[in-house]
Amino acid sequence: MIRIGCHLSSSKGFLAMGKQITELGGNTFQYFTRNPRGSRAKELDPDDIAAFLAYGAAHDITTVVAHAPYTLNPCSAQEKTREFAMMAMEDDLKRMEMTPHQLYNFHPGSHVGQGIETGIRLISDQLNALLQPGQTTTVLLETMAGKGSEVGGRFEELREILDRVTLSDHMGVCLDTCHVFDAGYDIVNDLDGVLTQFDKVIGLSKLRALHLNDSMNPLGNHKDRHQKIGQGYIGQEAFARIVRHPALRGLPMILETPNELPGYAAEIHLLQELAGE
Ligand code: FE
Ligand code: FE
Ligand code: ZN
């Protein structure tokens, strides 16, 4: 069984998301820890979480992915923005221990002209300030499209962050298919080659989740525009190879395609079929 689901709105709580993904035919999901643009996080309801954990255990929802807000930029040139990133991530990580052993994914950030090395240093410094030896959450760096001054468009950049983080056992990587394709990694014609490169540079054991998105733009365009599965430049055949790949099979695969819920249900079904289920 592949582990597949999509991004869901968290506005009705955890149990509602669990039930929703079951209805859509999936067994994992992703949600924003707070408004993707804004800063406020909703108060978590312990009863809702307890009900969700019981529901998840009964419905094989073992792994879910929390996504940090897009505005979180630990390597901003503005101290205020860096402070917000620190505050929001600290609060998110505290709250996430209420749903233990889950994944927290964030965009490493944009160095906005300070240079890639400064960006990498600031991101690593923040992680070193926040990670706790006893935490159960694994923090994931997302592979980025290399748009503007984004850090994380090359596997080497993610490797360097991981090397600088002391508690790197609590860290992993989330590979976004649209982003890596936009960054220039040819997962259409050479999936094995890209995964070999990932293994050499980062290590496949660090790969903990996938974002499954087709791309509106050709290889290496650095645009980051997601497309529905099979309707972009990556194409359905490449996704068939991705969901069938032995190195990727057990990982949570999250759709972030431009869809409403029925569209997600159709894509979940399609990918399960492509995986041979
Ligand atoms: Fe993302
Ligand atoms: Fe993504
Ligand atoms: Zn994206």
Side-chain angles (χ1 to χ4, degrees):
M1 277 280 280
I2 58 168
R3 202 150 281 290
I4 184 145
C6 63
H7 190 92
L8 294 175
S9 160
S10 63
S11 61
K12 293 194 179 105
F14 277 94
L15 181 60
M17 289 191 283
K19 287 182 172 170
Q20 201 161 45
I21 202 62
T22 306
E23 270 168 38
L24 298 178
N27 50 10
T28 180
F29 60 86
Q30 177 176 272
Y31 65 96
F32 282 123
T33 52
R34 56 189 71 224
N35 183 312
R37 266 178 276 277
S39 54
R40 277 191 85 85
K42 232 176 54 186
E43 209 46 57
L44 291 185
D45 171 3
D47 292 338
D48 175 51
I49 289 187
F52 164 68
L53 293 177
Y55 181 87
H59 292 81
D60 193 35
I61 304 171
T62 53
T63 310
V64 298
V65 183
H67 196 307
Y70 293 141
T71 45
L72 189 144
N73 185 8
C75 61
S76 169
Q78 308 286 322
E79 197 178 346
K80 257 211 155 106
T81 308
R82 293 201 302 273
E83 272 168 11
F84 166 73
M86 184 79 91
M87 184 276 292
M89 195 182 275
E90 183 179 24
D91 185 48
D92 283 350
L93 288 175
K94 204 175 289 167
R95 295 147 50 85
M96 279 200 63
E97 290 301 312
M98 288 180 74
T99 51
H101 303 287
Q102 299 303 339
L103 306 170
Y104 178 69
N105 174 69
F106 78 106
H107 297 180
S110 294
H111 65 71
V112 284
Q114 302 175 95
I116 193 81
E117 284 307 319
T118 301
I120 286 169
R121 183 176 50 76
L122 288 168
I123 295 159
S124 319
D125 286 353
Q126 174 170 317
L127 289 164
N128 279 324
L130 292 180
L131 294 183
Q132 303 290 327
Q135 75 179 58
T136 67
T137 303
T138 301
V139 177
L140 306 184
L141 303 165
E142 182 166 349
T143 60
M144 300 310 291
K147 196 172 70 180
S149 67
E150 269 174 0
V151 179
R154 311 290 314 162
F155 295 160
E156 286 77 5
E157 296 166 13
L158 300 178
R159 173 75 257 169
E160 226 187 298
I161 296 170
L162 294 172
D163 279 344
R164 284 166 175 264
V165 172
T166 313
L167 298 174
S168 59
D169 282 0
H170 297 306
M171 298 284 305
V173 172
C174 172
L175 187 150
D176 185 309
T177 55
C178 169
H179 295 177
V180 292
F181 186 71
D182 277 19
Y185 293 99
D186 193 355
I187 53 172
V188 176
N189 297 300
D190 191 17
L191 177 62
D192 276 322
V194 173
L195 291 176
T196 300
Q197 214 175 336
F198 186 100
D199 193 34
K200 265 198 204 135
V201 177
I202 300 175
L204 273 173
S205 66
K206 282 286 175 203
L207 184 56
R208 302 296 304 277
L210 298 177
H211 285 166
L212 297 188
N213 304 303
D214 212 324
S215 175
M216 285 191 189
N217 296 288
L219 181 71
N221 247 257
H222 306 293
K223 289 277 200 334
D224 190 3
R225 297 287 306 278
H226 300 186
Q227 180 56 291
K228 293 181 173 127
I229 300 298
Q231 296 184 27
Y233 281 88
I234 297 178
Q236 187 171 309
E237 280 176 34
F239 281 103
R241 289 189 288 272
I242 289 166
V243 294
R244 299 181 82 107
H245 200 286
L248 308 178
R249 230 183 139 75
L251 298 173
M253 302 177 179
I254 307 289
L255 294 158
E256 302 173 310
T257 45
N259 272 307
E260 302 295 325
L261 294 178
Y264 278 134
E267 287 188 346
I268 288 169
H269 182 74
L270 169 69
L271 289 160
Q272 286 166 335
E273 243 174 30
L274 292 174
E277 291 175 2

